Amino acid sequence: MQFLKKLAAASALTLCALPALPVHAADLSGAPTTFISPFPPGGGTDMLTRMVSNAIGQNTHWNIVVENKPGAGGNLALDATARARPDGHTLVMAQTDNIVLNPWLYTRLTYDVFKDFRPVGLAASSPSVFVVLPESPYKSIADVVKAAKAKPGQISLGIPGIGGSGDLIGHLWGKAAGMELMHVPYRGWGQAFPDLMSGRIAVYTGSVATLLPQIRGGKVRALAVVAKERSPALPDVPTFAESGFKTIDQTIWWGLFAPGKTPDDVIKTLNTELNKALTQPELVQKLEEAGYSVMKGSPEDLAKQLRADHDIFGKVVQDAGIPKQ
């Protein structure tokens, strides 16, 4: 009996000393892979999703399809991903506006961002920017503040969805400046642009990546970017800090997520192919020209980013007094 006890103890020590088995790459060829975009075609999220998925598809020869599923502040897209089979063939290009902020903005979510998703990897980031029409009387952020103080609640700010980063930034800006803006939500830039042109809204905010073509094309004029430093894509446009509001800083990031029970080997394969695509000079150049900053990283990096921003923006939302829907 004593011998058997010693043998069991020795076996346990041997098992503990064994190295962890490596996670092998999964084969994701064959069935189509769907990249879900939570916003309509033509916006910043849609462009990023298509550029990244195209690069991955060219490298792997996977059959990749992009599906736009806008609505409910990104909740429709996130819900569809959370409910999908965890086999690596359904992914979502989530961003700060939805996967970080929605848990603080909606009372009844059908998913848990920490249980129902597995991070694949960070893709890119882009700061927000405030724009007006070229003929607008507002030449600076200070001009908007002056007008809003003269007409409380009458100067309209177009935002891409209730409770998103644009909505949050507008509330923070109003609080810092001691003014009140009228927030007008849209499903995306395509819906908002006609109202900006017609004068229904005076100012609009979205990501630099979304609005850069319109800014370069002279359809709108940028007032300020919401970031610590000027955007490389808009070097002549001042930051909010340079405009007198140092507390306002919001850079939007995008990350690829899979359903929560996706196996380790599938996550490893997806992360490897995502980072490989984001390292290609041709894709990097296209993304930077479009107003993005490439991020890359491990699934753990994205998990840390999600957790940190979840905690930070939860306090920001509460301090801004934004009610839950």
Side-chain angles (χ1 to χ4, degrees), residues 34-111:
T34 300
F35 278 56
I36 298 178
S37 169
F39 290 93
T45 300
D46 178 66
M47 290 189 295
L48 176 66
T49 304
R50 292 181 187 279
M51 285 193 282
V52 170
S53 63
N54 284 342
I56 293 176
Q58 290 174 3
N59 291 339
T60 61
H61 302 292
W62 295 345
N63 181 11
I64 297 179
V65 178
V66 174
E67 179 183 353
N68 296 93
K69 193 176 282 292
N75 285 329
L76 296 183
L78 293 174
D79 175 73
T81 306
R83 293 173 181 270
R85 291 182 60 182
D87 56 8
H89 291 291
T90 302
L91 308 167
V92 63
M93 187 65 80
Q95 67 175 116
T96 313
D97 273 18
N98 40 60
I99 203 161
V100 171
L101 291 173
N102 283 2
W104 298 106
L105 300 170
Y106 292 87
T107 54
R108 296 181 180 178
L109 290 181
T110 58
Y111 57 83

Side-chain angles (χ1 to χ4, degrees), residues 210-223:
T210 297
L211 296 171
L212 190 58
Q214 286 72 33
I215 295 171
R216 287 175 172 168
K219 293 183 178 179
V220 296
R221 176 162 44 82
L223 296 181

Side-chain angles (χ1 to χ4, degrees), residues 206-241:
S207 70
V208 168
T210 297
L211 296 171
L212 190 58
Q214 286 72 33
I215 295 171
R216 287 175 172 168
K219 293 183 178 179
V220 296
R221 176 162 44 82
L223 296 181
V225 293
V226 190
K228 293 179 180 179
E229 300 177 352
R230 293 193 180 197
S231 168
L234 297 171
D236 297 329
V237 178
T239 65
F240 254 71

Side-chain angles (χ1 to χ4, degrees), residues 149-207:
K149 287 185 175 180
K151 299 179 179 180
Q154 296 183 46
I155 304 301
S156 51
L157 171 66
I159 55 174
I162 297 175
S165 59
D167 194 13
L168 182 59
I169 291 166
H171 282 288
L172 291 174
W173 181 21
K175 187 174 182 179
M179 65 175 182
E180 180 184 353
L181 296 168
M182 178 174 63
H183 291 208
V184 183
Y186 295 90
R187 296 181 71 181
W189 168 246
Q191 184 187 25
F193 183 59
D195 281 359
L196 183 64
M197 291 291 291
S198 67
R200 182 170 183 265
I201 55 174
V203 187
Y204 183 81
T205 182
S207 70

Side-chain angles (χ1 to χ4, degrees), residues 235-281:
D236 297 329
V237 178
T239 65
F240 254 71
E242 292 174 304
S243 303
F245 299 95
K246 296 182 180 180
T247 58
I248 301 177
D249 173 27
Q250 173 56 58
T251 297
I252 300 168
W253 57 257
W254 288 264
L256 203 60
F257 289 82
K261 295 183 180 180
T262 305
D264 289 346
D265 61 335
V266 175
I267 295 297
K268 177 182 178 181
T269 297
L270 291 169
N271 176 261
T272 298
E273 296 303 334
L274 173 63
N275 285 329
K276 184 186 297 182
L278 293 171
T279 307
Q280 295 176 193

